[in-house]
Amino acid sequence: MILRFRSPDGSYRVDVQPSDSVSDLKTKLLALVPKNVVPNSLILSDRPNNGQTRPLDQILNERVESLGLRHGDMLYLSYTNGADSSALSNFSSTTKSSSIRLNGNPVSLTEDASHNLTKTTAGLAAHDVKKLDDPWESVVQDPVDEELEKLDGKIPRGRDQRMCKHGPKGMCDYCMPVEPYDTAYLAEKKIKHMSFHAYLRKTNTTTNKPELKSSYMPPLSEPYYRVRKDCPSGHPAWPVGICTKCQPSAITLQSQPFRTVDHVEFSDPALVNNFIDFWRRSGCQRIGYLYGCYAPYPEVPLGVKAVVEAIYEPPQQCEPDGVTLTSPWENEKQVDEVAALCGLRKVGVIYTDLLDDNTGSGSVVCKRHIDSYFLSSLEIAFSARLQAEYPNPSKWSETGRFGSKFVTCVVTGNEDNGIDVSAYQVSNSAVEMVRADIIEPSADPGMMLVREEDGKSRYVPEVFFRHINEYGANVQENAKPAFPVEYLLVTLTHGFPTNADPMFKAPSGKFPIENREIIGVTQDHRALGKQLGADGNSPEGGISAISDFHLLVFMRNWGILDKNEEELLSRVATKLDPGEGNMLLQTSGWQTLMTILRESGGLPSQSLFSSPLSKKRPSSKGHGDDWRKDVGAAADANERLAKRLRGVSLKDKFSLR
């Protein structure tokens, strides 16, 4: 077969056999290139610029057919001329003879900082080039993504009695399985956005064709609307200089065809009910973070659902028309660590937007509908910031990440004046436009403003959107000064399992929820003691009593249990294993906790967690003689914690109004 090579000195054609080695190919190339070319400086690339490069000497023992090359393929050849090499050698020798230390000793070339830090393919003869691994080869994806990638994903179809003419074991075009991104199937099931993995397979089918044995190209790429700082043209950086290679292209807004998460499932209806209870008792709005995990969602082809197991309410300032919170809050790291011990992570955010209709029937005003808005421009900017903070790792992307699985849930009134939950995400374009400082919220909640370019730190490309005008024609208009927020919105579904089996099985509402002092709900040692002695002497009830996420976080903030005991406590709370529960009772940290609660009056003398060991005062080192001091210190620390939460700083805060 014939391979074509384009070099700085012209083009060459080399006739090779697929079974020939790359060493034979190098010999034929050296016979064609100029005589002053350094033999070990030959570098191949699949593109003229910014392509994947490979020094020829690294693949000399491979065969041509193993490289995926076919007859007529074009490769780009670069090398170092002898004149350049000699000049570089003279420069290196001069540097070696003239570079000396303060004590007079010469500096060798291998110790020279300029040699160690210089990485260039032009001077391969003098500098070793080490190619870094591709990002997508080292990315650790979420377990649910690894699981879905192993599935076939095709949608089975039954035999069509009217169109299929074959037997029961045959197959034709009318009954063969279809791809997960089949348009007709999605329209039939009323699925507005295909799943992420269906979109990935659709994109990869058009980008990479394994039957052609061509080089692999990542099928996904995130939008980038900022001026590139590494422009190859050589002009001064923006705002001094700019060219077509570094400036972003015009943006045409359109509905995102896929969604990274398809469904939000609350493991227990009591989660949402307890969250809404704050509004019922105070009339103020509330915000919380969703902790859970991701799992396959079979209702959508190759779908993903976020399973919510707990809602944590951070310190916030609640008002009837919005909330103000500090991010990150004071103990966010500790909450994330407790969630990680339980196998959970942040999966989203939830907040209320409720207004009583004053009828006395418990109904609320429907403020979000098709004629107003579903997410306001301020909320979209807030969600975009959170999605940018929690990117989705993907080995199919050039950057090693693509989109985000972080969801936004709103508890608001529906069209029947009842309380309902709505789940959303914002598009990848919205996240990048917020990151590039192109858009900002407006006073009209249904419109998003396009910012003006300041010529210093913000470059705003042209932004367009398409819509149906009053004459029924599909037209494109400039998005300045504002455009509808629907172009940035992705709608998800939500629901509850038919047979609820939540991870945390403690009685709902028994242990107080954090940061609710404004409505008279406080987490303290008395509440903890009451929770641990709530079910009498029943061992099973005792295990379920500690199966509460809010209780685990509260105990972590006390700092009585060590790391191993916290891991054991989390396993007991999530798995409810009586064997591990007995192991927990015998730990010194748990016995210290029981002693503190009894002496402070927070636990009855006969607790359901009581054991022969727990009835004794701890005698281990550090607890035997000073346990009374620990009791006073814990009480003082608890009082200081409550005061600190009431006076938390509100600097660098998010505001939703």
Side-chain angles (χ1 to χ4, degrees):
M1 61 178 170
I2 296 178
L3 299 178
R4 298 177 296 163
F5 296 88
R6 182 172 296 174
S7 72
D9 296 308
S11 300
Y12 311 104
R13 292 172 177 262
V14 179
D15 189 0
V16 295
Q17 297 298 326
S19 59
D20 290 347
S21 64
V22 179
S23 179
D24 298 333
L25 175 62
K26 178 182 177 181
T27 303
K28 295 181 180 181
L29 282 174
L30 291 176
L32 298 175
V33 298
K35 302 300 181 182
N36 61 343
V37 171
V38 179
N40 62 346
S41 66
L42 297 179
I43 300 177
L44 294 180
S45 176
D46 59 344
R47 296 180 184 178
N49 294 307
N50 301 325
Q52 296 184 1
T53 60
R54 192 80 176 270
L56 203 60
D57 285 355
Q58 295 183 2
I59 53 175
L60 292 179
N61 297 328
E62 299 185 18
R63 297 187 178 277
V64 175
E65 59 184 358
S66 65
L67 301 179
L69 299 176
R70 301 186 63 191
H71 175 70
D73 283 352
M74 170 71 76
L75 298 175
Y76 297 89
L77 183 65
S78 60
Y79 42 75
T80 302
N81 293 324
D84 298 337
S85 178
S86 60
L88 184 60
S89 300
N90 295 335
F91 174 78
S92 300
S93 61
T94 304
T95 304
K96 180 176 180 180
S97 60
S98 60
S99 298
I100 59 175
R101 295 188 175 92
L102 293 177
N103 58 8
N105 296 328
V107 179
S108 63
L109 183 61
T110 57
E111 298 175 343
D112 190 5
S114 62
H115 172 77
N116 295 330
L117 299 179
T118 302
K119 300 295 181 183
T120 172
T121 56
L124 184 65
H127 297 283
D128 297 330
V129 178
K130 181 179 180 181
K131 183 180 179 182
L132 298 176
D133 294 335
D134 294 328
W136 50 87
E137 293 179 357
S138 58
V139 168
V140 179
Q141 297 188 133
D142 292 337
V144 64
D145 293 328
E146 297 289 352
E147 181 180 352
L148 292 175
E149 287 179 5
K150 299 176 183 178
L151 301 180
D152 177 71
K154 293 189 176 180
I155 306 169
R157 294 190 296 174
R159 187 173 183 271
D160 193 327
Q161 300 296 333
R162 185 167 59 91
M163 302 300 297
C164 295
K165 307 300 181 184
H166 51 77
K169 295 185 178 180
M171 184 178 295
C172 65
D173 292 343
Y174 296 101
C175 60
M176 65 182 299
V178 296
E179 296 292 343
Y181 48 82
D182 183 72
T183 306
Y185 178 85
L186 297 178
E188 178 185 355
K189 299 297 182 179
K190 297 182 179 180
I191 301 176
K192 183 179 179 181
H193 305 277
M194 71 178 74
S195 66
F196 166 71
H197 283 271
Y199 173 78
L200 171 61
R201 299 196 180 190
K202 179 180 180 180
T203 307
N204 193 39
T205 301
T206 58
T207 304
N208 297 300
K209 299 184 181 299
E211 63 275 8
L212 300 180
K213 297 182 179 180
S214 58
S215 59
Y216 167 77
M217 295 178 58
L220 302 178
S221 59
E222 287 191 314
Y224 192 85
Y225 301 148
R226 288 162 284 174
V227 178
R228 297 187 180 274
K229 299 180 180 180
D230 53 347
C231 183
S233 301
H235 59 75
W238 188 82
V240 179
I242 195 172
C243 67
T244 56
K245 294 182 179 179
C246 59
Q247 74 178 49
S249 303
I251 305 171
T252 301
L253 298 173
Q254 54 186 351
S255 178
Q256 184 169 283
F258 67 94
R259 53 192 179 190
T260 316
V261 175
D262 303 275
H263 183 75
V264 179
E265 179 180 287
F266 294 91
S267 61
D268 190 354
L271 289 174
V272 180
N273 186 57
N274 292 337
F275 181 70
I276 302 175
D277 190 58
F278 181 89
W279 171 80
R280 296 192 182 104
R281 299 176 62 178
S282 67
C284 297
Q285 310 305 326
R286 195 68 170 168
I287 189 170
Y289 283 91
L290 307 176
Y291 282 88
C293 59
Y294 299 103
Y297 182 55
E299 301 299 325
V300 175
L302 298 179
V304 176
K305 66 178 178 180
V307 182
V308 180
E309 299 286 355
I311 301 177
Y312 185 85
E313 302 175 12
Q316 55 194 282
Q317 200 175 50
C318 302
E319 299 177 12
D321 60 345
V323 297
T324 303
L325 63 96
T326 302
S327 181
W329 67 87
E330 184 177 1
N331 64 330
E332 181 175 3
K333 183 178 179 181
Q334 288 76 10
V335 178
D336 292 342
E337 291 175 352
V338 173
L341 292 177
C342 300
L344 307 177
R345 55 186 285 194
K346 274 197 196 82
V347 297
V349 66
I350 184 172
Y351 50 86
T352 61
D353 183 19
L354 298 169
L355 180 63
D356 186 48
D357 61 358
N358 296 324
T359 60
S361 59
S363 57
V364 295
V365 177
C366 177
K367 298 192 294 183
R368 300 170 185 252
H369 48 80
I370 193 172
D371 295 325
S372 59
Y373 64 93
F374 295 102
L375 273 189
S376 67
S377 55
L378 177 62
E379 294 166 344
I380 287 180
F382 175 67
S383 300
R385 291 179 62 183
L386 291 176
Q387 289 183 206
E389 186 177 353
Y390 300 96
N392 176 46
S394 176
K395 64 182 180 182
W396 303 95
S397 174
E398 296 176 340
T399 58
R401 60 182 184 272
F402 187 80
S404 173
K405 290 189 177 75
F406 203 87
V407 302
T408 299
C409 298
V410 185
V411 182
T412 186
N414 56 22
E415 296 180 354
D416 298 327
N417 298 111
I419 298 177
D420 199 0
V421 180
S422 301
Y424 304 97
Q425 279 190 308
V426 297
S427 64
N428 293 353
S429 296
V431 174
E432 177 58 24
M433 293 177 77
V434 171
R435 186 186 288 118
D437 201 21
I438 296 176
I439 57 177
E440 63 179 345
S442 67
D444 185 352
M447 301 296 291
M448 183 72 75
L449 291 176
V450 179
R451 307 193 67 170
E452 296 292 336
E453 183 177 330
D454 60 2
K456 296 180 181 179
S457 60
R458 184 191 311 121
Y459 179 85
V460 180
E462 293 293 331
V463 183
F464 301 95
F465 70 98
R466 305 191 69 89
H467 70 104
I468 306 298
N469 63 6
E470 62 273 16
Y471 303 105
N474 190 348
V475 297
Q476 176 174 292
E477 288 190 10
N478 196 317
K480 293 182 178 180
F483 62 92
V485 297
E486 285 77 13
Y487 290 91
L488 308 177
L489 203 58
V490 178
T491 307
L492 315 182
T493 60
H494 78 282
F496 304 92
T498 305
N499 300 316
D501 185 21
M503 176 180 292
F504 302 104
K505 297 179 173 59
S508 175
K510 293 293 184 180
F511 188 75
I513 298 177
E514 61 281 339
N515 302 313
R516 288 192 172 186
E517 291 83 3
I518 191 175
I519 59 173
V521 177
T522 305
Q523 288 183 341
D524 54 15
H525 62 280
R526 296 181 182 84
L528 179 60
K530 182 179 179 181
Q531 178 76 4
L532 298 183
D535 296 328
N537 295 320
S538 172
E540 182 179 358
I543 296 179
S544 64
I546 64 172
S547 184
D548 188 296
F549 184 75
H550 308 283
L551 182 142
L552 297 179
V553 175
F554 179 72
M555 294 179 63
R556 173 61 183 272
N557 293 335
W558 267 23
I560 297 177
L561 305 181
D562 60 24
K563 183 177 180 181
N564 295 330
E565 292 167 346
E566 287 177 353
E567 293 177 357
L568 179 60
L569 175 64
S570 300
R571 291 199 303 270
V572 174
T574 55
K575 299 180 180 179
L576 301 180
D577 185 1
E580 291 186 330
N582 291 329
M583 292 175 56
L584 177 64
L585 292 176
Q586 300 176 13
T587 59
S588 61
W590 184 264
Q591 297 172 33
T592 303
L593 175 64
M594 294 297 102
T595 302
I596 293 175
L597 292 177
R598 289 193 191 95
E599 296 299 328
S600 61
L603 188 67
S605 58
Q606 295 294 330
S607 166
L608 101 147
F609 278 90
S610 62
S611 67
L613 292 177
S614 63
K615 293 179 181 179
K616 301 178 182 179
R617 292 178 179 173
S619 59
S620 59
K621 184 178 181 181
H623 297 291
D625 298 330
D626 298 332
W627 65 273
R628 293 185 182 275
K629 297 180 180 179
D630 294 339
V631 172
D636 294 340
N638 185 61
E639 183 179 358
R640 290 195 301 270
L641 176 62
K643 293 179 179 179
R644 186 163 62 251
L645 290 180
R646 286 194 294 268
V648 66
S649 173
L650 298 178
K651 296 181 179 179
D652 300 329
K653 52 186 176 292
F654 293 114
S655 296
L656 292 179
R657 296 179 181 276

